[in-house]
Amino acid sequence: MVTAAVRQLGPNWYASVMGTAIVANAGATLPVRIPGLRSALTAVWALSFVLLLVLLAARALHWRHHSDRAREQLLDPAAAPFYGCLSMALLAVGAGTLLVGRDWIGEPAAVAVDAVLFTAGTVVGLGAAVAIPYLMVVRHRIAADEASPVWLLPVVAPMVSAAVGPLLVPRLPAGQAQQTLLLACCAMFGVSLLATLVMLPVIFARLVTAGPLPLALTPTLFLVLGPLGQSTTAANKFADAAPGVLPTSYAHGFPAFAVLYGAPVMGFALMWLALALAMVVRARRRGMGFAMTWWAFTFPLGTCVTGAEGLGAHTGLAAFDALALALYAGLVTAWTLAAGHTARGLLTGRLLPSRPASPAPAPVSA
């Protein structure tokens, strides 16, 4: 039954929306022009928009008819951090509307849609960045060896707001409105960055002391790329938006900050990418099969694409352009694999069973 399938639907499914939207968003600012690419990206954005609407409706049914299960997920330390994905799904689709969706719906409608999704995504993201860590401290009971990269999901959501918010700055009235939004994005940059710096050592310490993650969770190592690539992207977007908005003495500092911050962080991101890839290859050889955690390969990698694109634009170095193209090729490959396996899992009923699981047979004695 449909209600049984909806009962199994968790907030982690929003990762499929994020992973789809970032394909369009990252492709829109690639340093090359390919015939037909713009139309393909707009189609991908439309797919992400439809997925978002479907999931919002399904999750509303989930909360209405299976509120007990929804509360269980919120109090489950393994599931609760995925509530950050709702914020990032709203923000990613909103940014895609302004970047490529405007080709189909027009500039005024695109600005309106992005304004609504950005506002909703930011409110949800800031709420999750406080509420989920609060629950982790007060209600969840977590052992030291249970630390996971999934913990980054709630705190990285404000960084996504920081990265996509500057797209709306030129659409606001000049003066106080533009300055307030841009500096609010800078504040959210700090919220997310400092929270990440608190959590990342705990996650790495768990890897060193407790060994590799379980096979199904190994792809979540890619989640560490999210705050790294997204913060680099945000720094470059600040540099794009600051001239003419902030006083000249401040505006001139943002391009320098974008490069001086972004280049070292991108270097660390590439090092972590190599480590994560090595761990995924190891897990694959040990039998790692498909799970919804494979969507972790998409959005975080996409943020590294947009970060490299920004660095290429502000430094003029062909090396960053080549890096962006190589990472984008990896992103498209990862999205194809995750989307294909997800579609197959839905068609076969393996991911969202349409019937409640049958009870196990009673043991039989001889």
Side-chain angles (χ1 to χ4, degrees), residues 13 22 50 52 58 60 88 101 123 133 141 150 155 171 183 207 220 230 243 255 257 296 307 315 334-335 338 360:
W13 279 80
I22 197 66
V50 171
L52 177 63
M88 292 184 279
V123 171
R141 293 296 174 262
V150 172
V155 300
R171 276 82 179 182
L183 291 181
L207 293 174
T220 63
Q230 200 66 272
F257 174 74
T315 63
W335 179 85

Side-chain angles (χ1 to χ4, degrees), residues 15-37:
S16 63
V17 179
M18 298 159 50
T20 302
I22 197 66
V23 173
N25 298 359
T29 50
L30 284 174
V32 296
R33 293 188 176 183
I34 302 174
L37 177 62

